[in-house]
Amino acid sequence: MKRTLIKNAIIVNEGLQVPASVIIEGEKIAEILVENQEPSIPCDETIDATGCYLLPGVIDGHVHFRDPGLTHKADIITESRAAAAGGVTSIMDMPNTSPQTTTLDALNAKLDHLAEKCSVNYSCYFGATNNNYPLLEQLDKHRVCGVKLFMGSSTGNMLVDKMASLLNIFNGTDLLIATHCEDQSIIKDNTVKYLEKYGADGDVPLKYHPNIRSSEACYQSSELAVRLARIADARLHILHISTSKELQLFENIPLSEKRITAEACVAHLLFASSDYQELGTRIKCNPAIKKKERNALRDAVNSGLIDSIATDHAPHLISDKEGGALKAASGMPMIQFSLVSMLELVDEGIFTLEKVVEKMCHAPAEIYEIHNRGYIRTGNQADLVLVRPNSEWTVNKECILSKCQWSPLEGHTFRWKVEKTFANGHLLYSDGAVDENYRGQELRFRN
């Protein structure tokens, strides 16, 4: 098997920064060399990583690659290439495609589709509905990353709003249940109120989006999910926490002891409501970016109340983003720039580099019980990303790999750069180019 030496890097892993070198042999990490240790046997290739940091590949547990059925917005090929360029080596795709991933046939077809097209490692969620809970016990716990439960902001028939169905889902699986929590009745009442006041043309000004999809709508739904999970002793992962009030629902205990975990998304950590003035609907997402919540979310990442960071990568055509609070599509493409965005917050003193690796690499591997990934350890799959600080570049349309060809970060200059991404030991991305012939591996769960 080919042996590749990545030498003179600073490895960031398991809470430490260590000057070291890594040897990849085939698909796996074969050796980690510290204190001027030499390889046990010669290597076929050497990569000099002087001045760079070597991190585990990012695991993004929350993406919408829009494939099948919505491929005018995005597809697995384009979005997985964007992932690779951003240092993301594993993704978990959401079920609100067309057809929805809510039957066993659709699930198997989605996994086959990912195997054919995905440049990075992959899995996908099974989507819950009000009536498909009998299928949960038939899911392969080693192949399916979790059950996605929309308790708000649904697509098609995927809003699960019947208490009997919710109870059946929470009691019907020991797979992780990943929830989108926004109380639909509160949103509906707020929508009526703002339409009456501001919606002469059937829309409402964008600045009221956080008022319609309010903090209380998020809290009430998240509180219900936590209550149901505790009754059923279910594994619950609440996605894209966006309010300080929701943080009261979580415990600051070791991740290994948690049955209920929380995710923050890059957009809610990066943007503030004041950014609507400049970026408009480009940062419109559900749940909304709200006023005076960003600092609380950042603090919760550091304290341990929030366990993981993902993107909710959700491309739309830029034409879909026209309108206001009700008409403009919610969601944005973020996966290519998620890691460098968080590294920029390291430069600002908000997070440490070790904390970014913990929340984007280690924690997803633990929460989803992913086999052999998420850490730089001998014997693990060689999913690695080499990043260089103090290397300025600016986001423009030419560098955007997502099919939609726009980003809320266009024009922004970063000081960190992803130089190389390895998936299963294969050099997938290097200095601006993705190996278009490589395909990632299906993730495996629960050793």
Side-chain angles (χ1 to χ4, degrees):
M1 289 182 287
K2 180 181 178 181
R3 285 170 58 87
T4 300
L5 171 65
I6 305 173
K7 70 174 186 177
N8 300 328
I10 300 173
I11 293 178
V12 185
N13 187 57
E14 301 192 65
L16 298 173
Q17 295 187 29
V18 180
S21 301
V22 166
I23 294 175
I24 300 170
E25 187 171 276
E27 296 184 351
K28 297 186 181 297
I29 298 169
E31 298 179 56
I32 301 170
L33 308 175
V34 297
E35 297 179 349
N36 299 316
Q37 287 178 301
E38 292 296 322
S40 58
I41 58 176
C43 294
D44 304 293
E45 181 184 9
T46 298
I47 296 170
D48 187 354
T50 300
C52 291
Y53 292 82
L54 186 65
L55 321 178
V58 171
I59 300 171
D60 194 335
H62 190 169
V63 306
H64 299 264
F65 279 5
R66 308 296 193 198
D67 196 349
L70 302 168
T71 54
H72 60 290
K73 300 182 185 218
D75 61 51
I76 293 167
I77 292 173
T78 57
E79 306 318 293
S80 64
R81 290 175 184 170
V88 177
T89 54
S90 298
I91 60 92
M92 287 165 260
D93 194 45
M94 288 297 170
N96 52 333
T97 49
S98 180
Q100 298 165 342
T101 317
T102 55
T103 67
L104 298 181
D105 286 346
L107 175 64
N108 290 327
K110 172 71 93 54
L111 289 169
D112 288 345
H113 209 41
L114 285 159
E116 178 187 351
K117 293 184 171 185
C118 197
S119 293
V120 297
N121 308 312
Y122 60 87
S123 184
C124 62
Y125 293 83
F126 184 79
T129 69
N130 275 311
N131 54 25
N132 72 349
Y133 50 84
L135 298 177
L136 299 183
E137 63 183 11
Q138 299 180 46
L139 299 175
D140 186 338
K141 299 177 179 64
H142 298 289
R143 298 189 74 193
V144 179
C145 61
V147 176
K148 175 62 181 290
L149 175 58
F150 284 94
M151 296 174 67
S153 190
S154 67
T155 300
N157 68 336
M158 292 188 70
L159 174 64
V160 180
D161 55 358
K162 297 177 181 177
M163 184 57 68
S165 297
L166 290 169
L167 289 167
N168 281 320
I169 292 165
F170 277 92
N171 285 291
T173 184
D174 58 357
L175 282 166
L176 178 143
I177 300 170
T179 55
H180 181 131
C181 287
E182 290 182 286
D183 187 283
Q184 208 67 21
S185 62
I186 293 175
I187 293 170
K188 184 178 179 180
D189 289 345
N190 288 340
T191 300
V192 170
K193 179 176 72 175
Y194 278 92
L195 274 172
E196 288 175 349
K197 191 170 183 180
Y198 299 103
D201 63 349
D203 204 352
V204 173
L206 175 65
K207 65 180 180 179
Y208 297 113
H209 178 57
N211 300 42
I212 293 172
R213 307 192 81 92
S214 63
S215 295
E216 193 61 23
C218 294
Y219 175 79
Q220 290 295 336
S221 184
S222 292
E223 190 278 331
L224 174 60
V226 168
R227 189 159 21 108
L228 292 172
R230 287 179 175 155
I231 291 169
D233 192 29
R235 293 173 63 215
L236 171 65
H237 189 50
I238 300 187
L239 305 173
H240 41 44
I241 296 296
S242 63
T243 76
S244 55
K245 190 173 182 180
E246 288 171 283
L247 299 173
Q248 304 169 24
L249 301 170
F250 305 106
E251 296 180 281
N252 188 2
I253 60 175
L255 181 58
S256 60
E257 299 175 16
K258 293 187 180 185
R259 296 283 287 174
I260 298 171
T261 49
E263 170 199 280
C265 281
V266 170
H268 295 106
L269 297 171
L270 198 61
F271 300 118
S273 58
S274 57
D275 292 316
Y276 286 122
Q277 186 170 355
E278 179 183 351
L279 297 172
T281 58
R282 287 182 175 230
I283 61 167
K284 180 176 183 277
C285 55
N286 297 336
I289 294 163
K290 301 175 179 68
K291 295 179 181 178
K292 299 180 181 179
E293 301 286 7
R294 183 176 65 178
N295 287 345
L297 298 176
R298 290 173 171 182
D299 289 345
V301 168
N302 284 320
S303 72
L305 289 175
I306 287 176
D307 302 288
S308 66
I309 296 173
T311 60
D312 193 7
H313 176 80
H316 292 283
L317 299 181
I318 194 65
S319 58
D320 295 334
K321 301 292 283 182
E322 295 175 359
L326 303 179
K327 290 184 177 179
S330 291
M332 66 191 91
M334 289 298 291
I335 200 165
Q336 187 175 344
F337 311 114
S338 59
L339 176 58
V340 290
S341 292
M342 294 301 96
L343 294 177
E344 185 166 279
L345 296 186
V346 171
D347 286 344
E348 294 177 18
I350 293 162
F351 303 131
T352 64
L353 193 48
E354 295 89 336
K355 185 64 67 175
V356 169
V357 168
E358 175 193 341
K359 300 300 182 179
M360 300 186 81
C361 311
H362 302 336
E366 298 297 332
I367 291 166
Y368 290 90
E369 299 182 84
I370 301 171
H371 180 60
N372 242 23
R373 302 185 193 272
Y375 296 88
I376 301 178
R377 293 173 177 169
T378 56
N380 265 23
Q381 293 296 106
D383 295 343
L384 303 164
V385 56
L386 201 61
V387 295
R388 185 178 295 277
N390 305 313
S391 184
E392 288 194 356
W393 62 284
T394 301
V395 178
N396 55 44
K397 288 190 186 304
E398 287 67 39
C399 74
I400 295 171
L401 298 186
S402 286
K403 195 173 192 176
C404 65
Q405 283 288 285
W406 65 271
S407 167
L409 294 164
E410 281 178 67
H412 184 79
T413 297
F414 284 104
R415 296 181 296 276
W416 286 83
K417 185 177 183 180
V418 173
E419 288 209 344
K420 298 183 189 299
T421 303
F422 297 83
N424 308 300
H426 182 83
L427 183 56
L428 176 58
Y429 172 82
S430 181
D431 300 318
V434 178
D435 182 348
E436 298 182 356
N437 296 314
Y438 183 78
R439 294 294 176 263
Q441 297 180 359
E442 185 179 327
L443 298 176
R444 285 292 186 266
F445 307 92
R446 301 186 173 199
N447 298 347

